[in-house]
C-alpha cells in the first residue's frame, strides 16, 4: 500500500500540475511548526526562480485546486509562500483501516529481494562473552530481523575466532599442566577420548593464564606459536583438543546468546575458511597481485585518492602462517561459493575500520567478489561507563556479559516487586523480559556508530526514553483490551472512525509513519530510528489515554473505534520491539 506521505504528495503534485507548474514541486514534509499545521509543502518557494513569480502567488494558485480535496481539511498559504496542511480525519481513518488489514502494516516488500550475509558475532572461542561483544550481537540481530521483515533473505553468521594464537596458548598451557594426556603423545594411534579434559570454567581460566605467561616469557610464547602452527597443519592430537575446545565453548556461547535473544543461521568458524586459503593465495600470486615484501606475502591496496596511508594487505607472514586478513578473505571466498550473496555486512567495532578497508579492497582488486557484490562495514562505537571510559567491573576488569545481564535482571526484579504489580512467582520471569528490553533498547536507541554511556539506573527506569517505558505502554494497552473483553466486549467489532480530539489524531498520525520508518531503518542500517519512532508512538498513546475515556465511552460505535485503534497501536509497537529483538510481558 502507498504511504500516507506518498498519497499527500500525489495530491499536491496534481494541484501544481493543474496550476501550470512542474508537479515535482509537490513534495510534502512533516511540519516544523506543529502548532500551526501537521504537514507543509515548500514547493512554491523552490519554483519561484524558475517561473519568475513571487512564491505566495504560486502557492495561491496551487491551494485554489485543494479546496475540494479528499485528503486535506486545511491548505493555506503563509507568506512568503509556504503551504500549510492538515489531513482530514476521515482520510486518516481510512488509511489506518487499510494499514490494519495489511499483513506488513504498510511496509512495502523489497522489489528486488537480495541475499545478505550479516557477520555479527565474532567471539573467540575458549573465552567468555564480555560486554565488548554486546553491541555486535544486538545491532546485528536487529538489522537481520528488519531485513527479513522488508523481504530480503538475510543470513546471520557468528563467525567464530577459533584458529588463531589463542588456540596455541590453550594447548601449550594444557601441555604444561597435564603432559600425560594422550593428545601430547606423538606415538599414540588410538581413538581420542570423547569427553573433554576440562570444563568451560577451567577453559576460561586457562586462556588468560596462558596469555599472561606469553607476554612475560618469550620461550613460552614461541612454544604457543609453534603449537598454533602445528594445529593449522593438522596435528592429530592438537586437532582432537581443538574439537573439545570448540564443543565446550560453543555450547556455552549458545546458552549466553539465547539469554540475549540472539540467534545465528550459521555457526561458521575461521577454520572453515582454511581449505580455501592455498588456492586463493596461489591465484593471487599467478595473477600478479601478491608479492613478497620483507619475507611476507602482501597485496597493495592503496588508491590514488587516499588522503591517509593504507598499508598493503598481508596474506602470509614470513613463516607462512596466515592472519585475520587471510581468513577474512578466505571466508569471503567461501561465502561467495556457498551463498553468492548480493551483500556481506560486517557489524564490527569501528576501531577495525582500517582492517576492513584492506580486506574489501583486496577482495575487489583480486576478483574474489563480483563487481556488483556489496561489501559493507558498520563500525559501532564503544559502550562506556558513567566515567566515559569503556565499561568495566567495580574491580576494573572487563565485565562478563552474563554478569551484566544478571545485574540488570536483579535491578528490574527489585523494581517490579516494589511496584507489586506482578505476583512473586511471575516476577522473576517478568524481570528477565523487561531487563532484556532495558539492555537492548538502551543500546539500540543510540546511533550505532557513536559511543554511548551504559547507565543501568536510566536504562531500567519506567519513565523516559527507555525499554521498560515502551513495554509499560504495551502492557497498559493489553490491560485495557483484556478489561474490555472481560466486560463482554467484542474485540473484533467496529472500525476506526475519525479522531474525536487532537491527542487521538496525533496518535493516528504517528501510526502512519510505521512503514516509512522500518524501510528507512533498513536502508540506513539504523535500528535507532525504530527506537525513536516507538518512543513517539508511546508518548502519543499515553497522551491519548490520559485525555480520553476509552472504556467508559457511552457511544458503542465510538468505543469500538477506540478499541480498534488500540489494537493497531499494540500491533505496531509489538512488531517494532520484535524487530529490535525483545518482547513484552503481559503484566508489569
Amino acid at each position: 500500500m502507498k504511504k500516507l506521505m506518498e498519497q499527500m504528495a500525489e495530491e499536491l503534485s496534481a494541484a501544481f500540475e493543474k496550476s501550470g507548474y512542474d508537479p515535482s514541486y509537490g513534495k510534502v514534509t512533516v511540519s516544523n511548526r506543529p502548532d500551526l499545521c501537521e504537514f507543509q509543502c515548500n514547493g512554491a518557494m523552490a519554483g519561484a526562480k524558475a517561473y519568475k513569480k513571487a512564491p505566495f502567488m504560486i502557492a495561491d494558485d496551487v491551494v485554489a485546486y485543494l479546496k475540494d480535496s479528499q485528503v486535506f481539511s486545511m491548505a493555506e498559504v503563509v507568506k512568503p509562500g509556504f503551504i500549510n496542511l492538515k489531513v482530514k480525519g476521515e482520510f486518516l481513518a481510512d488509511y489506518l483501516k487499510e494499514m490494519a488489514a495489511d499483513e506488513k502494516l504498510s511496509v512495502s516488500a523489497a522489489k528486488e529481494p537480495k541475499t545478505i550475509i550479516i557477520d555479527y558475532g565474532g567471539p573467540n572461542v575458549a573465552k567468555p562473552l564480555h560486554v565488548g561483544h554486546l553491541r555486535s550481537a544486538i545491532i546485528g540481530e536487529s538489522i537481520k530481523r528488519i531485513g527479513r521483515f522488508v523481504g530480503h533473505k538475510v543470513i546471520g553468521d557468528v563467525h567464530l575466532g577459533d584458529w588463531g594464537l589463542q588456540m596455541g596458548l590453550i594447548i601449550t598451557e594444557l601441555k604444561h599442566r597435564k603432559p600425560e594426556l594422550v593428545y601430547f603423545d606423538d606415538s599414540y594411534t588410538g581413538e581420542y577420548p570423547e569427553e573433554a579434559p576440562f570444563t568451560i570454567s577451567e577453559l576460561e581460566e586457562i586462556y588468560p593464564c596462558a596469555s599472561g605467561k606469553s607476554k612475560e616469557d618469550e620461550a613460552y610464547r614461541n612454544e604457543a606459536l609453534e603449537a598454533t602452527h602445528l594445529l593449522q597443519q593438522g596435528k592429530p592430537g592438537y586437532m582432537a583438543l581443538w574439537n573439545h575446545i570448540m564443543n565446550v565453548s560453543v555450547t556455552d556461547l549458545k546458552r549466553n546468546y539465547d539469554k540475549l535473544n540472539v540467534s545465528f543461521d550459521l555457526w561458521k568458524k575461521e577454520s572453515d575458511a582454511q581449505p580455501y586459503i592455498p588456492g586463493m593465495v596461489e591465484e593471487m600470486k599467478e595473477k600478479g597481485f601478491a608479492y613478497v615484501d620483507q619475507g611476507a606475502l602482501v597485496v597493495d591496496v592503496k588508491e590514488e585518492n587516499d588522503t591517509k596511508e593504507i598499508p598493503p594487505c598481508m596474506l602470509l607472514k614470513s613463516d607462512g602462517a596466515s592472519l585475520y586478513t587471510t581468513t577474512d578473505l578466505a571466508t569471503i571466498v567461501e561465502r561467495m561459493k556457498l551463498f553468492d550473496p548480493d551483500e556481506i555486512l560486517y557489524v564490527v567495532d569501528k576501531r577495525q575500520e582500517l582492517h576492513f578497508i584492506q580486506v574489501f579492497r583486496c577482495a575487489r582488486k583480486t576478483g574474489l567478489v563480483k563487481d556488483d557484490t556489496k561489501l559493507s562495514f558498520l563500525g559501532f562505537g564503544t559502550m562506556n561507563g558513567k566515567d566515559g571510559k569503556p565499561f568495566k567491573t567495580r574491580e576494573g576488569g572487563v565485565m562478563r556479559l552474563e554478569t551484566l545481564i544478571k545485574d540488570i535482571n536483579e535491578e528490574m526484579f527489585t523494581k517490579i516487586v516494589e511496584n507489586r504489580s506482578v505476583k512473586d512467582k511471575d516476577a522473576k520471569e517478568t524481570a528477565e523480559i523487561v531487563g532484556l528490553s532495558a539492555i537492548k533498547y538502551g543500546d539500540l536507541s543510540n546511533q550505532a556508530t557513536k559511543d554511548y554511556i551504559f547507565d543501568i539506573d536510566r536504562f531500567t527506569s519506567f519513565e523516559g526514553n527507555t525499554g521498560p517505558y515502551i513495554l509499560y505502554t504495551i502492557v497498559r494497552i493489553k490491560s485495557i483490551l483484556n478489561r474490555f473483553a472481560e466486560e463482554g466486549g467484542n474485540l473484533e467489532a467496529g472500525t476506526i472512525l475519525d479522531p474525536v480530539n487532537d491527542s487521538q489524531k496525533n496518535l493516528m498520525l504517528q501510526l502512519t509513519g510505521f512503514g516509512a520508518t522500518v524501510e528507512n531503518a533498513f536502508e540506513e542500517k539504523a535500528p535507532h530510528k525504530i527506537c525513536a519512532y516507538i518512543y513517539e508512538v508511546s508518548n502519543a498513546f499515553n497522551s491519548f489515554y490520559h485525555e480520553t475515556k476509552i472504556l467508559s465511552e457511552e457511544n458503542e460505535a465510538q468505543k469500538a473505534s477506540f478499541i480498534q485503534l488500540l489494537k493497531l497501536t499494540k500491533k505496531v509497537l509489538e512488531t517494532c520491539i520484535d524487530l529490535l529483538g525483545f518482547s513484552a510481558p503481559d503484566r508489569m
Side-chain angles (χ1 to χ4, degrees), residues 431-556:
E432 288 174 1
I433 295 171
V434 182
L436 185 62
S437 81
I439 293 171
K440 287 199 165 188
Y441 191 91
D443 187 301
L444 292 170
S445 57
N446 298 278
Q447 192 172 330
T449 54
K450 294 183 177 176
D451 299 348
Y452 77 97
I453 304 295
F454 193 91
D455 184 341
I456 290 180
D457 294 332
R458 185 169 71 82
F459 289 176
T460 57
S461 172
F462 286 90
E463 297 175 358
N465 190 10
T466 69
Y469 170 70
I470 305 298
L471 296 196
Y472 193 77
T473 303
I474 295 171
V475 169
R476 172 174 274 166
I477 297 171
K478 285 183 178 182
S479 175
I480 297 167
L481 294 175
N482 288 339
R483 267 186 60 200
F484 177 74
E486 286 165 6
E487 291 170 4
N490 181 0
L491 289 169
E492 304 308 315
T495 187
I496 297 174
L497 303 174
D498 298 8
V500 298
N501 56 34
D502 288 344
S503 63
Q504 183 184 359
K505 190 175 187 187
N506 181 43
L507 172 59
M508 292 168 76
L509 285 168
Q510 291 293 343
L511 292 174
T512 66
F514 173 77
T517 299
V518 172
E519 289 168 31
N520 184 246
F522 180 73
E523 193 63 35
E524 297 189 16
K525 308 296 185 286
H528 73 275
K529 295 199 167 187
I530 292 180
C531 293
Y533 171 71
I534 56 175
Y535 181 53
E536 291 299 323
V537 171
S538 296
N539 285 339
F541 169 76
N542 286 312
S543 294
F544 165 65
Y545 168 78
H546 288 300
E547 292 178 23
T548 313
K549 292 178 179 178
I550 298 171
L551 293 181
S552 59
E553 170 61 50
E554 293 179 0
N555 182 315
E556 289 301 321

Side-chain angles (χ1 to χ4, degrees), residues 206-225:
I206 286 169
Y207 174 72
C209 173
S211 181
K213 284 183 182 179
S214 73
K215 289 167 186 168
E216 297 170 3
D217 185 341
E218 192 175 343
Y220 186 95
R221 179 176 174 79
N222 288 334
E223 191 181 342
L225 286 166

